PDB file of all heavy atoms in Angstrom:
ATOM      1  N   MET A   1       0.857  -1.205   0.000  1.00  0.00           N
ATOM      2  CA  MET A   1       0.000   0.000   0.000  1.00  0.00           C
ATOM      3  C   MET A   1       0.889   1.249   0.000  1.00  0.00           C
ATOM      4  O   MET A   1       1.795   1.357   0.827  1.00  0.00           O
ATOM      5  CB  MET A   1      -0.897   0.008   1.247  1.00  0.00           C
ATOM      6  CG  MET A   1      -1.823   1.214   1.308  1.00  0.00           C
ATOM      7  SD  MET A   1      -2.756   1.275   2.849  1.00  0.00           S
ATOM      8  CE  MET A   1      -3.686  -0.219   2.744  1.00  0.00           C
ATOM      9  N   ILE A   2       0.619   2.168  -0.937  1.00  0.00           N
ATOM     10  CA  ILE A   2       1.385   3.412  -1.007  1.00  0.00           C
ATOM     11  C   ILE A   2       0.509   4.555  -0.516  1.00  0.00           C
ATOM     12  O   ILE A   2      -0.549   4.826  -1.078  1.00  0.00           O
ATOM     13  CB  ILE A   2       1.840   3.693  -2.451  1.00  0.00           C
ATOM     14  CG1 ILE A   2       2.733   2.539  -2.940  1.00  0.00           C
ATOM     15  CG2 ILE A   2       2.594   5.010  -2.523  1.00  0.00           C
ATOM     16  CD1 ILE A   2       3.134   2.660  -4.389  1.00  0.00           C
ATOM     17  N   LEU A   3       0.948   5.194   0.551  1.00  0.00           N
ATOM     18  CA  LEU A   3       0.212   6.318   1.117  1.00  0.00           C
ATOM     19  C   LEU A   3       0.967   7.612   0.829  1.00  0.00           C
ATOM     20  O   LEU A   3       2.188   7.661   0.959  1.00  0.00           O
ATOM     21  CB  LEU A   3       0.049   6.144   2.630  1.00  0.00           C
ATOM     22  CG  LEU A   3      -0.712   4.881   3.070  1.00  0.00           C
ATOM     23  CD1 LEU A   3      -0.735   4.776   4.586  1.00  0.00           C
ATOM     24  CD2 LEU A   3      -2.129   4.906   2.532  1.00  0.00           C
ATOM     25  N   LYS A   4       0.236   8.629   0.441  1.00  0.00           N
ATOM     26  CA  LYS A   4       0.856   9.915   0.130  1.00  0.00           C
ATOM     27  C   LYS A   4       0.605  10.894   1.272  1.00  0.00           C
ATOM     28  O   LYS A   4      -0.422  10.837   1.934  1.00  0.00           O
ATOM     29  CB  LYS A   4       0.279  10.485  -1.174  1.00  0.00           C
ATOM     30  CG  LYS A   4       0.594   9.625  -2.393  1.00  0.00           C
ATOM     31  CD  LYS A   4       0.049  10.263  -3.653  1.00  0.00           C
ATOM     32  CE  LYS A   4       0.382   9.403  -4.874  1.00  0.00           C
ATOM     33  NZ  LYS A   4      -0.146   9.999  -6.120  1.00  0.00           N
ATOM     34  N   PRO A   5       1.555  11.803   1.509  1.00  0.00           N
ATOM     35  CA  PRO A   5       1.374  12.766   2.595  1.00  0.00           C
ATOM     36  C   PRO A   5       0.173  13.674   2.367  1.00  0.00           C
ATOM     37  O   PRO A   5      -0.172  13.978   1.224  1.00  0.00           O
ATOM     38  CB  PRO A   5       2.675  13.578   2.575  1.00  0.00           C
ATOM     39  CG  PRO A   5       3.448  13.131   1.403  1.00  0.00           C
ATOM     40  CD  PRO A   5       2.785  11.962   0.783  1.00  0.00           C
ATOM     41  N   ILE A   6      -0.469  14.068   3.444  1.00  0.00           N
ATOM     42  CA  ILE A   6      -1.592  15.002   3.374  1.00  0.00           C
ATOM     43  C   ILE A   6      -1.045  16.410   3.215  1.00  0.00           C
ATOM     44  O   ILE A   6      -0.164  16.840   3.964  1.00  0.00           O
ATOM     45  CB  ILE A   6      -2.453  14.938   4.664  1.00  0.00           C
ATOM     46  CG1 ILE A   6      -2.964  13.508   4.885  1.00  0.00           C
ATOM     47  CG2 ILE A   6      -3.598  15.934   4.586  1.00  0.00           C
ATOM     48  CD1 ILE A   6      -3.870  13.008   3.799  1.00  0.00           C
ATOM     49  N   ARG A   7      -1.547  17.115   2.240  1.00  0.00           N
ATOM     50  CA  ARG A   7      -1.069  18.475   2.001  1.00  0.00           C
ATOM     51  C   ARG A   7      -2.158  19.487   2.366  1.00  0.00           C
ATOM     52  O   ARG A   7      -3.279  19.377   1.900  1.00  0.00           O
ATOM     53  CB  ARG A   7      -0.671  18.655   0.532  1.00  0.00           C
ATOM     54  CG  ARG A   7       0.567  17.865   0.144  1.00  0.00           C
ATOM     55  CD  ARG A   7       0.964  18.177  -1.296  1.00  0.00           C
ATOM     56  NE  ARG A   7       2.233  17.555  -1.644  1.00  0.00           N
ATOM     57  CZ  ARG A   7       2.352  16.305  -2.060  1.00  0.00           C
ATOM     58  NH1 ARG A   7       1.289  15.541  -2.181  1.00  0.00           N
ATOM     59  NH2 ARG A   7       3.546  15.811  -2.358  1.00  0.00           N
ATOM     60  N   THR A   8      -1.784  20.442   3.201  1.00  0.00           N
ATOM     61  CA  THR A   8      -2.711  21.521   3.559  1.00  0.00           C
ATOM     62  C   THR A   8      -2.715  22.542   2.438  1.00  0.00           C
ATOM     63  O   THR A   8      -1.658  22.961   1.972  1.00  0.00           O
ATOM     64  CB  THR A   8      -2.272  22.208   4.861  1.00  0.00           C
ATOM     65  OG1 THR A   8      -2.182  21.217   5.889  1.00  0.00           O
ATOM     66  CG2 THR A   8      -3.265  23.279   5.276  1.00  0.00           C
ATOM     67  N   ARG A   9      -3.873  22.931   1.983  1.00  0.00           N
ATOM     68  CA  ARG A   9      -3.957  23.897   0.893  1.00  0.00           C
ATOM     69  C   ARG A   9      -3.492  25.262   1.368  1.00  0.00           C
ATOM     70  O   ARG A   9      -3.792  25.699   2.468  1.00  0.00           O
ATOM     71  CB  ARG A   9      -5.400  23.994   0.389  1.00  0.00           C
ATOM     72  CG  ARG A   9      -5.897  22.706  -0.223  1.00  0.00           C
ATOM     73  CD  ARG A   9      -7.188  22.953  -0.967  1.00  0.00           C
ATOM     74  NE  ARG A   9      -6.963  23.783  -2.138  1.00  0.00           N
ATOM     75  CZ  ARG A   9      -7.932  24.483  -2.736  1.00  0.00           C
ATOM     76  NH1 ARG A   9      -9.144  24.471  -2.268  1.00  0.00           N
ATOM     77  NH2 ARG A   9      -7.674  25.199  -3.809  1.00  0.00           N
ATOM     78  N   LYS A  10      -2.753  25.936   0.505  1.00  0.00           N
ATOM     79  CA  LYS A  10      -2.259  27.261   0.837  1.00  0.00           C
ATOM     80  C   LYS A  10      -3.418  28.258   0.849  1.00  0.00           C
ATOM     81  O   LYS A  10      -4.403  28.095   0.143  1.00  0.00           O
ATOM     82  CB  LYS A  10      -1.185  27.684  -0.165  1.00  0.00           C
ATOM     83  CG  LYS A  10       0.067  26.809  -0.089  1.00  0.00           C
ATOM     84  CD  LYS A  10       1.096  27.228  -1.131  1.00  0.00           C
ATOM     85  CE  LYS A  10       2.328  26.345  -1.046  1.00  0.00           C
ATOM     86  NZ  LYS A  10       3.333  26.683  -2.075  1.00  0.00           N
ATOM     87  N   ILE A  11      -3.247  29.301   1.641  1.00  0.00           N
ATOM     88  CA  ILE A  11      -4.313  30.300   1.799  1.00  0.00           C
ATOM     89  C   ILE A  11      -4.652  30.956   0.468  1.00  0.00           C
ATOM     90  O   ILE A  11      -5.824  31.124   0.111  1.00  0.00           O
ATOM     91  CB  ILE A  11      -3.901  31.361   2.847  1.00  0.00           C
ATOM     92  CG1 ILE A  11      -3.846  30.717   4.236  1.00  0.00           C
ATOM     93  CG2 ILE A  11      -4.874  32.539   2.837  1.00  0.00           C
ATOM     94  CD1 ILE A  11      -3.263  31.607   5.304  1.00  0.00           C
ATOM     95  N   TYR A  12      -3.621  31.307  -0.315  1.00  0.00           N
ATOM     96  CA  TYR A  12      -3.896  32.015  -1.562  1.00  0.00           C
ATOM     97  C   TYR A  12      -4.707  31.149  -2.528  1.00  0.00           C
ATOM     98  O   TYR A  12      -5.511  31.663  -3.310  1.00  0.00           O
ATOM     99  CB  TYR A  12      -2.599  32.516  -2.205  1.00  0.00           C
ATOM    100  CG  TYR A  12      -1.880  31.518  -3.080  1.00  0.00           C
ATOM    101  CD1 TYR A  12      -2.188  31.418  -4.445  1.00  0.00           C
ATOM    102  CD2 TYR A  12      -0.893  30.677  -2.569  1.00  0.00           C
ATOM    103  CE1 TYR A  12      -1.541  30.517  -5.261  1.00  0.00           C
ATOM    104  CE2 TYR A  12      -0.237  29.780  -3.381  1.00  0.00           C
ATOM    105  CZ  TYR A  12      -0.555  29.701  -4.716  1.00  0.00           C
ATOM    106  OH  TYR A  12       0.091  28.805  -5.527  1.00  0.00           O
ATOM    107  N   GLU A  13      -4.513  29.808  -2.482  1.00  0.00           N
ATOM    108  CA  GLU A  13      -5.275  28.913  -3.347  1.00  0.00           C
ATOM    109  C   GLU A  13      -6.761  28.948  -2.998  1.00  0.00           C
ATOM    110  O   GLU A  13      -7.621  28.867  -3.886  1.00  0.00           O
ATOM    111  CB  GLU A  13      -4.744  27.489  -3.236  1.00  0.00           C
ATOM    112  CG  GLU A  13      -3.341  27.314  -3.819  1.00  0.00           C
ATOM    113  CD  GLU A  13      -2.796  25.918  -3.604  1.00  0.00           C
ATOM    114  OE1 GLU A  13      -3.280  25.216  -2.693  1.00  0.00           O
ATOM    115  OE2 GLU A  13      -1.877  25.520  -4.350  1.00  0.00           O
ATOM    116  N   GLN A  14      -7.074  29.067  -1.708  1.00  0.00           N
ATOM    117  CA  GLN A  14      -8.466  29.150  -1.278  1.00  0.00           C
ATOM    118  C   GLN A  14      -9.097  30.465  -1.732  1.00  0.00           C
ATOM    119  O   GLN A  14     -10.275  30.511  -2.103  1.00  0.00           O
ATOM    120  CB  GLN A  14      -8.544  29.016   0.248  1.00  0.00           C
ATOM    121  CG  GLN A  14      -8.030  27.665   0.752  1.00  0.00           C
ATOM    122  CD  GLN A  14      -8.048  27.574   2.266  1.00  0.00           C
ATOM    123  OE1 GLN A  14      -9.078  27.810   2.888  1.00  0.00           O
ATOM    124  NE2 GLN A  14      -6.909  27.235   2.862  1.00  0.00           N
ATOM    125  N   ILE A  15      -8.295  31.533  -1.719  1.00  0.00           N
ATOM    126  CA  ILE A  15      -8.786  32.830  -2.203  1.00  0.00           C
ATOM    127  C   ILE A  15      -9.077  32.754  -3.704  1.00  0.00           C
ATOM    128  O   ILE A  15     -10.120  33.222  -4.177  1.00  0.00           O
ATOM    129  CB  ILE A  15      -7.749  33.943  -1.913  1.00  0.00           C
ATOM    130  CG1 ILE A  15      -7.539  34.102  -0.403  1.00  0.00           C
ATOM    131  CG2 ILE A  15      -8.202  35.275  -2.529  1.00  0.00           C
ATOM    132  CD1 ILE A  15      -6.363  34.987  -0.034  1.00  0.00           C
ATOM    133  N   VAL A  16      -8.154  32.148  -4.437  1.00  0.00           N
ATOM    134  CA  VAL A  16      -8.335  31.972  -5.884  1.00  0.00           C
ATOM    135  C   VAL A  16      -9.612  31.191  -6.163  1.00  0.00           C
ATOM    136  O   VAL A  16     -10.397  31.543  -7.051  1.00  0.00           O
ATOM    137  CB  VAL A  16      -7.112  31.253  -6.498  1.00  0.00           C
ATOM    138  CG1 VAL A  16      -7.411  30.798  -7.928  1.00  0.00           C
ATOM    139  CG2 VAL A  16      -5.894  32.166  -6.484  1.00  0.00           C
ATOM    140  N   ASP A  17      -9.848  30.115  -5.391  1.00  0.00           N
ATOM    141  CA  ASP A  17     -11.052  29.299  -5.568  1.00  0.00           C
ATOM    142  C   ASP A  17     -12.320  30.123  -5.355  1.00  0.00           C
ATOM    143  O   ASP A  17     -13.278  30.035  -6.128  1.00  0.00           O
ATOM    144  CB  ASP A  17     -11.044  28.122  -4.589  1.00  0.00           C
ATOM    145  CG  ASP A  17     -10.300  26.919  -5.150  1.00  0.00           C
ATOM    146  OD1 ASP A  17      -9.837  27.006  -6.297  1.00  0.00           O
ATOM    147  OD2 ASP A  17     -10.185  25.911  -4.444  1.00  0.00           O
ATOM    148  N   GLN A  18     -12.330  30.918  -4.293  1.00  0.00           N
ATOM    149  CA  GLN A  18     -13.531  31.713  -3.978  1.00  0.00           C
ATOM    150  C   GLN A  18     -13.833  32.719  -5.079  1.00  0.00           C
ATOM    151  O   GLN A  18     -14.986  32.865  -5.505  1.00  0.00           O
ATOM    152  CB  GLN A  18     -13.347  32.436  -2.640  1.00  0.00           C
ATOM    153  CG  GLN A  18     -13.509  31.534  -1.424  1.00  0.00           C
ATOM    154  CD  GLN A  18     -13.794  32.344  -0.165  1.00  0.00           C
ATOM    155  OE1 GLN A  18     -14.628  33.252  -0.176  1.00  0.00           O
ATOM    156  NE2 GLN A  18     -13.105  32.002   0.914  1.00  0.00           N
ATOM    157  N   ILE A  19     -12.798  33.416  -5.545  1.00  0.00           N
ATOM    158  CA  ILE A  19     -13.015  34.409  -6.603  1.00  0.00           C
ATOM    159  C   ILE A  19     -13.422  33.716  -7.901  1.00  0.00           C
ATOM    160  O   ILE A  19     -14.320  34.174  -8.619  1.00  0.00           O
ATOM    161  CB  ILE A  19     -11.754  35.273  -6.798  1.00  0.00           C
ATOM    162  CG1 ILE A  19     -11.537  36.140  -5.550  1.00  0.00           C
ATOM    163  CG2 ILE A  19     -11.880  36.153  -8.043  1.00  0.00           C
ATOM    164  CD1 ILE A  19     -10.273  36.963  -5.555  1.00  0.00           C
ATOM    165  N   GLY A  20     -12.798  32.578  -8.192  1.00  0.00           N
ATOM    166  CA  GLY A  20     -13.161  31.812  -9.384  1.00  0.00           C
ATOM    167  C   GLY A  20     -14.610  31.361  -9.349  1.00  0.00           C
ATOM    168  O   GLY A  20     -15.311  31.398 -10.367  1.00  0.00           O
ATOM    169  N   GLN A  21     -15.078  30.945  -8.176  1.00  0.00           N
ATOM    170  CA  GLN A  21     -16.467  30.508  -8.042  1.00  0.00           C
ATOM    171  C   GLN A  21     -17.429  31.673  -8.232  1.00  0.00           C
ATOM    172  O   GLN A  21     -18.494  31.511  -8.842  1.00  0.00           O
ATOM    173  CB  GLN A  21     -16.673  29.877  -6.671  1.00  0.00           C
ATOM    174  CG  GLN A  21     -16.057  28.483  -6.533  1.00  0.00           C
ATOM    175  CD  GLN A  21     -16.123  27.968  -5.116  1.00  0.00           C
ATOM    176  OE1 GLN A  21     -16.898  28.452  -4.284  1.00  0.00           O
ATOM    177  NE2 GLN A  21     -15.293  26.967  -4.803  1.00  0.00           N
ATOM    178  N   LEU A  22     -17.058  32.856  -7.744  1.00  0.00           N
ATOM    179  CA  LEU A  22     -17.908  34.040  -7.919  1.00  0.00           C
ATOM    180  C   LEU A  22     -18.044  34.396  -9.402  1.00  0.00           C
ATOM    181  O   LEU A  22     -19.108  34.809  -9.857  1.00  0.00           O
ATOM    182  CB  LEU A  22     -17.339  35.225  -7.138  1.00  0.00           C
ATOM    183  CG  LEU A  22     -17.420  35.123  -5.606  1.00  0.00           C
ATOM    184  CD1 LEU A  22     -16.667  36.280  -4.958  1.00  0.00           C
ATOM    185  CD2 LEU A  22     -18.871  35.108  -5.134  1.00  0.00           C
ATOM    186  N   VAL A  23     -16.944  34.216 -10.145  1.00  0.00           N
ATOM    187  CA  VAL A  23     -16.982  34.470 -11.597  1.00  0.00           C
ATOM    188  C   VAL A  23     -17.863  33.433 -12.285  1.00  0.00           C
ATOM    189  O   VAL A  23     -18.705  33.752 -13.122  1.00  0.00           O
ATOM    190  CB  VAL A  23     -15.557  34.461 -12.191  1.00  0.00           C
ATOM    191  CG1 VAL A  23     -15.618  34.538 -13.720  1.00  0.00           C
ATOM    192  CG2 VAL A  23     -14.736  35.622 -11.635  1.00  0.00           C
ATOM    193  N   ALA A  24     -17.667  32.156 -11.907  1.00  0.00           N
ATOM    194  CA  ALA A  24     -18.444  31.068 -12.515  1.00  0.00           C
ATOM    195  C   ALA A  24     -19.933  31.224 -12.248  1.00  0.00           C
ATOM    196  O   ALA A  24     -20.770  30.889 -13.091  1.00  0.00           O
ATOM    197  CB  ALA A  24     -17.952  29.725 -11.988  1.00  0.00           C
ATOM    198  N   GLN A  25     -20.280  31.729 -11.066  1.00  0.00           N
ATOM    199  CA  GLN A  25     -21.684  31.903 -10.694  1.00  0.00           C
ATOM    200  C   GLN A  25     -22.295  33.188 -11.248  1.00  0.00           C
ATOM    201  O   GLN A  25     -23.503  33.414 -11.123  1.00  0.00           O
ATOM    202  CB  GLN A  25     -21.805  31.905  -9.165  1.00  0.00           C
ATOM    203  CG  GLN A  25     -21.466  30.570  -8.516  1.00  0.00           C
ATOM    204  CD  GLN A  25     -21.214  30.692  -7.021  1.00  0.00           C
ATOM    205  OE1 GLN A  25     -21.363  31.772  -6.426  1.00  0.00           O
ATOM    206  NE2 GLN A  25     -20.809  29.596  -6.403  1.00  0.00           N
ATOM    207  N   GLY A  26     -21.461  34.037 -11.858  1.00  0.00           N
ATOM    208  CA  GLY A  26     -21.962  35.279 -12.436  1.00  0.00           C
ATOM    209  C   GLY A  26     -22.072  36.422 -11.453  1.00  0.00           C
ATOM    210  O   GLY A  26     -22.565  37.501 -11.804  1.00  0.00           O
ATOM    211  N   GLN A  27     -21.592  36.217 -10.224  1.00  0.00           N
ATOM    212  CA  GLN A  27     -21.632  37.300  -9.237  1.00  0.00           C
ATOM    213  C   GLN A  27     -20.541  38.336  -9.512  1.00  0.00           C
ATOM    214  O   GLN A  27     -20.658  39.487  -9.119  1.00  0.00           O
ATOM    215  CB  GLN A  27     -21.493  36.739  -7.823  1.00  0.00           C
ATOM    216  CG  GLN A  27     -22.666  35.853  -7.420  1.00  0.00           C
ATOM    217  CD  GLN A  27     -22.553  35.379  -5.978  1.00  0.00           C
ATOM    218  OE1 GLN A  27     -22.337  36.170  -5.067  1.00  0.00           O
ATOM    219  NE2 GLN A  27     -22.698  34.071  -5.783  1.00  0.00           N
ATOM    220  N   LEU A  28     -19.471  37.885 -10.171  1.00  0.00           N
ATOM    221  CA  LEU A  28     -18.448  38.797 -10.688  1.00  0.00           C
ATOM    222  C   LEU A  28     -18.451  38.648 -12.198  1.00  0.00           C
ATOM    223  O   LEU A  28     -18.343  37.539 -12.720  1.00  0.00           O
ATOM    224  CB  LEU A  28     -17.066  38.452 -10.114  1.00  0.00           C
ATOM    225  CG  LEU A  28     -16.763  38.901  -8.690  1.00  0.00           C
ATOM    226  CD1 LEU A  28     -15.411  38.346  -8.229  1.00  0.00           C
ATOM    227  CD2 LEU A  28     -16.757  40.429  -8.579  1.00  0.00           C
ATOM    228  N   LYS A  29     -18.571  39.762 -12.902  1.00  0.00           N
ATOM    229  CA  LYS A  29     -18.676  39.724 -14.360  1.00  0.00           C
ATOM    230  C   LYS A  29     -17.493  40.446 -15.006  1.00  0.00           C
ATOM    231  O   LYS A  29     -16.839  41.272 -14.351  1.00  0.00           O
ATOM    232  CB  LYS A  29     -19.984  40.375 -14.811  1.00  0.00           C
ATOM    233  CG  LYS A  29     -21.234  39.663 -14.292  1.00  0.00           C
ATOM    234  CD  LYS A  29     -22.487  40.376 -14.758  1.00  0.00           C
ATOM    235  CE  LYS A  29     -23.748  39.628 -14.331  1.00  0.00           C
ATOM    236  NZ  LYS A  29     -23.866  39.541 -12.849  1.00  0.00           N
ATOM    237  N   PRO A  30     -17.206  40.142 -16.291  1.00  0.00           N
ATOM    238  CA  PRO A  30     -16.134  40.855 -16.995  1.00  0.00           C
ATOM    239  C   PRO A  30     -16.315  42.364 -16.887  1.00  0.00           C
ATOM    240  O   PRO A  30     -17.409  42.887 -17.108  1.00  0.00           O
ATOM    241  CB  PRO A  30     -16.294  40.385 -18.449  1.00  0.00           C
ATOM    242  CG  PRO A  30     -16.902  39.024 -18.324  1.00  0.00           C
ATOM    243  CD  PRO A  30     -17.831  39.107 -17.146  1.00  0.00           C
ATOM    244  N   GLY A  31     -15.232  43.054 -16.505  1.00  0.00           N
ATOM    245  CA  GLY A  31     -15.285  44.501 -16.333  1.00  0.00           C
ATOM    246  C   GLY A  31     -15.504  44.936 -14.904  1.00  0.00           C
ATOM    247  O   GLY A  31     -15.261  46.106 -14.559  1.00  0.00           O
ATOM    248  N   ASP A  32     -15.974  44.017 -14.040  1.00  0.00           N
ATOM    249  CA  ASP A  32     -16.159  44.354 -12.625  1.00  0.00           C
ATOM    250  C   ASP A  32     -14.807  44.596 -11.962  1.00  0.00           C
ATOM    251  O   ASP A  32     -13.827  43.899 -12.245  1.00  0.00           O
ATOM    252  CB  ASP A  32     -16.888  43.242 -11.873  1.00  0.00           C
ATOM    253  CG  ASP A  32     -18.374  43.194 -12.194  1.00  0.00           C
ATOM    254  OD1 ASP A  32     -18.853  44.106 -12.901  1.00  0.00           O
ATOM    255  OD2 ASP A  32     -19.046  42.242 -11.751  1.00  0.00           O
ATOM    256  N   ARG A  33     -14.781  45.568 -11.060  1.00  0.00           N
ATOM    257  CA  ARG A  33     -13.554  45.898 -10.331  1.00  0.00           C
ATOM    258  C   ARG A  33     -13.538  45.164  -8.996  1.00  0.00           C
ATOM    259  O   ARG A  33     -14.529  45.166  -8.261  1.00  0.00           O
ATOM    260  CB  ARG A  33     -13.484  47.405 -10.091  1.00  0.00           C
ATOM    261  CG  ARG A  33     -12.184  47.901  -9.472  1.00  0.00           C
ATOM    262  CD  ARG A  33     -12.222  49.427  -9.340  1.00  0.00           C
ATOM    263  NE  ARG A  33     -10.978  49.952  -8.835  1.00  0.00           N
ATOM    264  CZ  ARG A  33     -10.659  50.037  -7.539  1.00  0.00           C
ATOM    265  NH1 ARG A  33     -11.536  49.615  -6.626  1.00  0.00           N
ATOM    266  NH2 ARG A  33      -9.494  50.530  -7.155  1.00  0.00           N
ATOM    267  N   LEU A  34     -12.413  44.509  -8.707  1.00  0.00           N
ATOM    268  CA  LEU A  34     -12.269  43.845  -7.412  1.00  0.00           C
ATOM    269  C   LEU A  34     -12.036  44.878  -6.319  1.00  0.00           C
ATOM    270  O   LEU A  34     -11.514  45.969  -6.587  1.00  0.00           O
ATOM    271  CB  LEU A  34     -11.084  42.876  -7.439  1.00  0.00           C
ATOM    272  CG  LEU A  34     -11.248  41.550  -8.166  1.00  0.00           C
ATOM    273  CD1 LEU A  34      -9.963  40.730  -8.030  1.00  0.00           C
ATOM    274  CD2 LEU A  34     -12.413  40.751  -7.627  1.00  0.00           C
ATOM    275  N   PRO A  35     -12.404  44.566  -5.088  1.00  0.00           N
ATOM    276  CA  PRO A  35     -12.082  45.462  -3.977  1.00  0.00           C
ATOM    277  C   PRO A  35     -10.575  45.699  -3.890  1.00  0.00           C
ATOM    278  O   PRO A  35      -9.785  44.904  -4.401  1.00  0.00           O
ATOM    279  CB  PRO A  35     -12.592  44.699  -2.746  1.00  0.00           C
ATOM    280  CG  PRO A  35     -13.630  43.767  -3.284  1.00  0.00           C
ATOM    281  CD  PRO A  35     -13.164  43.386  -4.656  1.00  0.00           C
ATOM    282  N   SER A  36     -10.180  46.771  -3.222  1.00  0.00           N
ATOM    283  CA  SER A  36      -8.756  47.082  -3.072  1.00  0.00           C
ATOM    284  C   SER A  36      -8.054  46.011  -2.240  1.00  0.00           C
ATOM    285  O   SER A  36      -8.695  45.192  -1.576  1.00  0.00           O
ATOM    286  CB  SER A  36      -8.576  48.440  -2.394  1.00  0.00           C
ATOM    287  OG  SER A  36      -9.029  48.347  -1.045  1.00  0.00           O
ATOM    288  N   GLU A  37      -6.744  46.023  -2.279  1.00  0.00           N
ATOM    289  CA  GLU A  37      -5.965  45.052  -1.509  1.00  0.00           C
ATOM    290  C   GLU A  37      -6.322  45.125  -0.026  1.00  0.00           C
ATOM    291  O   GLU A  37      -6.482  44.095   0.636  1.00  0.00           O
ATOM    292  CB  GLU A  37      -4.469  45.332  -1.709  1.00  0.00           C
ATOM    293  CG  GLU A  37      -3.562  44.325  -1.032  1.00  0.00           C
ATOM    294  CD  GLU A  37      -2.097  44.626  -1.265  1.00  0.00           C
ATOM    295  OE1 GLU A  37      -1.618  44.428  -2.399  1.00  0.00           O
ATOM    296  OE2 GLU A  37      -1.437  45.074  -0.296  1.00  0.00           O
TER     297      GLU A  37
END
């Protein structure tokens, strides 16, 4: 049996996922401005 180490997802990857989902759902549309840093 080959077991692979568990990897914790990086914070920035979770942010990317959330913004990507907002685009996919149409809550963020082309031309929309993201909030400031």
Side-chain angles (χ1 to χ4, degrees):
M1 181 185 298
I2 300 175
L3 300 177
K4 296 182 179 180
I6 302 297
R7 291 184 173 84
T8 303
R9 296 193 68 201
K10 295 178 180 178
I11 292 172
Y12 85 89
E13 292 176 339
Q14 298 177 53
I15 297 169
V16 168
D17 273 358
Q18 284 200 46
I19 293 175
Q21 286 173 18
L22 290 173
V23 172
Q25 293 164 4
Q27 295 184 50
L28 282 174
K29 298 179 176 62
D32 286 353
R33 186 178 184 275
L34 284 182
S36 68
E37 184 179 288

